[in-house]
Amino acid sequence: MLTKINHIGVAVSSIEEALPYYRDSLGMTFSGTEEVPSQLVKVAFLSVGESKIELLEPTSPESPVAKFLEKNGPGVHHVAYGVEDIEAAIAKLLAQGTRMIDAVARNGAHGARIAFIHPKSSGGVLTELCEVHEGIH
Ligand code: CMX
């Protein structure tokens, strides 16, 4: 069902403040920022080889990422797995009794279609399914 780990999401209070560590100290390639209004976050993607880190900055106190930061402080927020067919993956997980936050896929950054599995069904690790199209994400 899964193709690879697409990215690891890291919650930060400020992308601007977090960026020098990833881009300059670690030397990762920074590919820009994007606001995802439906999720109340601004995201920045950094890559090394095929692997990506997504920095998540809340754009509102109501953002789930703002709540995460309040509770836990900055740190690893979610793991996102690539899938070829997100509807099929969601259907399979629901049939197995997995609790989905998104039973219907929604739009994520870079035109990807995403769905979250509830951390209660994934051993406390917030898990994202991510259907991406070559060259977009
Ligand atoms: N990791 C582990 N557990 C988490 C968590 C996280 N990142 N975020 C929340 N939880 C836990 C909460 O602590 C809470 O646990 P308890 O019930 O034990 O207190 C439980 O999950 C429910 O959290 P909540 O915030 O009260 O409930 P919501 O249903 O409102 O939201 C969630 C849950 C996880 C979907 C939301 O907090 C969230 O993070 N959404 C994803 C936002 C996001 O990352 N968007 C960026 C996508 C951009 C892209 O990749 O394209």
Side-chain angles (χ1 to χ4, degrees):
M1 180 174 84
L2 308 178
T3 53
K4 63 174 186 177
I5 291 180
N6 182 276
H7 64 264
I8 294 174
V10 175
V12 298
S13 357
S14 159
I15 287 175
E16 199 187 341
E17 283 171 20
L19 205 49
Y21 167 69
Y22 290 95
R23 185 192 51 200
D24 307 330
S25 304
L26 297 184
M28 294 180 78
T29 305
F30 170 54
S31 58
T33 60
E34 177 182 341
E35 205 165 316
V36 186
S38 61
Q39 304 275 299
L40 300 174
V41 290
K42 184 166 130 184
V43 303
F45 272 101
L46 293 120
S47 57
V48 52
E50 277 213 343
S51 306
K52 287 182 294 235
I53 295 288
E54 179 188 60
L55 303 181
L56 300 149
E57 174 189 310
T59 53
S60 145
E62 300 310 311
S63 165
V65 175
K67 290 183 197 156
F68 177 90
L69 286 167
E70 240 171 64
K71 197 167 165 185
N72 308 286
V76 173
H77 179 265
H78 67 262
V79 177
Y81 296 97
V83 291
E84 271 172 15
D85 180 342
I86 198 159
E87 271 74 33
I90 292 171
K92 186 174 176 192
L93 288 162
L94 286 173
Q96 288 166 348
T98 302
R99 186 168 157 195
M100 297 297 299
I101 286 160
D102 303 301
V104 176
R106 53 180 156 150
N107 294 330
H110 294 194
R113 297 179 62 241
I114 64 171
F116 282 94
I117 298 173
H118 199 281
K120 293 274 190 273
S121 265
S122 53
V125 178
L126 179 61
T127 301
E128 177 185 336
L129 305 175
C130 192
E131 183 188 299
V132 295
H133 299 282
E134 224 27 65
I136 297 180
H137 205 260

